[in-house]
Amino acid sequence: MAQTQVAGAQAVRRALDVLHCFHDNAPDLSASEISRRLGLSASTAHRLARTLQGAGFLEQDPRTARFRLGPAVTELGRLSYHQRGLHLAAPELSDLARRTGATADLALRSGPYAVIVAGGSVTPKVGLRRPLHSTALGKVLLAWPRPGESGAESLPALVAFTERTIVDRERLAAELERVRECGHAVNDGESAQGVRTLAVPVLDHLGSARFAVALRGTPELITADRFDWFRAQATTCAHALTVLLLPPSQRGAPTGP
């Protein structure tokens, strides 16, 4: 019985891994490409892909035999989007972007990534996942973790994207302490040259960051002398989203500071 449960859990895990192959706008994939990405045999990868196709989570191009995400993923994604109230965030983020001239984004945490779920960065050609350690959004989500979320010590290897990326875990821990003290995070060329981002938390009633709001621009836009103004604009938006994005069960309950 226990062996059957383990085998069943492994099959589910592998099926989910197949879906994760399509993160960040990956192109249509063949079964052999899926097998190489996951280190599976070609027959196993093909069997998993066909099973997911049968359930609507993948679809296959009849001309090329390559797989892409299917309608079931779209349906569940839209349901999750509305259940989380994310459709309510779009007007607030658009107004924030209009007032500041910066790109305004909203993200939540998924494992070692910040996933942008609304805002100006959500475009067909741009991936939605950002590493936690090298982004302002990620630092905020690490600084105010939700119950059950692991800390920075459990992150995979801290990859350097520029010479400014923090790749030392002790330095990252000190940075997160600074973020908690000042109430915001900054990414000043740590993920890409010439990009400056500031982010603030959208807190829940426990004082954990359900989401993070970020303003992204160039150092010429988000200048040192105007930084406090940009932070105030982002904080105002975050406070509005704290109310708008509360789950129904928490509405009327006090939120964190």
Side-chain angles (χ1 to χ4, degrees):
M1 181 68 173
Q3 276 190 327
T4 301
Q5 290 177 333
V6 170
Q10 183 183 54
V12 172
R13 178 71 260 177
R14 285 179 170 177
L16 293 173
D17 287 342
V18 170
L19 294 177
H20 282 300
C21 285
F22 295 87
H23 267 308
D24 294 337
N25 298 307
D28 294 1
L29 298 173
S30 67
S32 61
E33 287 169 334
I34 293 172
S35 72
R36 286 196 296 272
R37 289 188 179 207
L38 299 181
L40 301 173
S41 68
S43 60
T44 298
H46 191 265
R47 183 173 66 252
L48 288 168
R50 292 302 297 268
T51 300
L52 289 166
Q53 180 188 4
F57 287 92
L58 291 181
E59 60 183 17
Q60 190 175 32
D61 187 317
R63 184 176 59 85
T64 66
R66 298 170 73 84
F67 293 93
R68 65 174 69 94
L69 292 177
V73 176
T74 303
E75 180 184 7
L76 291 176
R78 294 302 298 175
L79 285 171
S80 176
Y81 186 82
H82 282 273
Q83 286 174 352
R84 291 176 180 271
L86 296 173
H87 59 294
L88 301 174
E92 296 291 334
L93 295 169
S94 295
D95 182 62
L96 178 62
R98 180 187 57 77
R99 284 186 281 111
T100 61
T103 299
D105 289 321
L106 181 75
L108 51 74
R109 182 175 174 180
S110 177
Y113 298 99
V115 179
I116 298 175
V117 292
S121 292
V122 181
T123 66
K125 294 184 178 180
V126 178
L128 302 180
R129 297 194 301 169
R130 303 287 189 272
L132 292 175
H133 72 285
S134 63
T135 59
L137 287 166
K139 291 177 191 177
V140 162
L141 295 168
L142 281 171
W144 288 277
R146 303 188 71 192
E149 290 180 339
S150 56
E153 70 283 350
S154 67
L155 293 178
L158 306 183
V159 177
F161 298 98
T162 74
E163 71 279 1
R164 295 189 175 187
T165 307
I166 298 175
V167 295
D168 178 81
R169 294 184 187 274
E170 289 187 4
R171 279 191 60 207
L172 180 59
E175 173 71 359
L176 296 180
E177 183 61 33
R178 186 200 65 77
V179 168
R180 284 187 288 268
E181 289 177 359
C182 66
H184 69 272
V186 177
N187 165 12
D188 198 358
E190 296 170 47
S191 56
Q193 299 284 357
V195 176
R196 180 173 291 166
T197 308
L198 70 93
V200 296
V202 177
L203 299 172
D204 63 14
H205 67 299
L206 298 175
S208 301
R210 292 184 67 232
F211 302 96
V213 171
L215 283 172
R216 176 171 54 84
T218 64
E220 291 75 27
L221 176 66
I222 306 176
T223 57
D225 61 328
R226 298 191 70 209
F227 185 86
D228 288 344
W229 180 82
F230 278 96
R231 180 179 58 187
Q233 300 302 309
T235 300
T236 297
C237 179
H239 286 165
L241 293 176
T242 296
V243 177
L244 286 173
L245 300 179
L246 274 178
S249 62
Q250 295 178 12
R251 288 171 190 165
T255 60

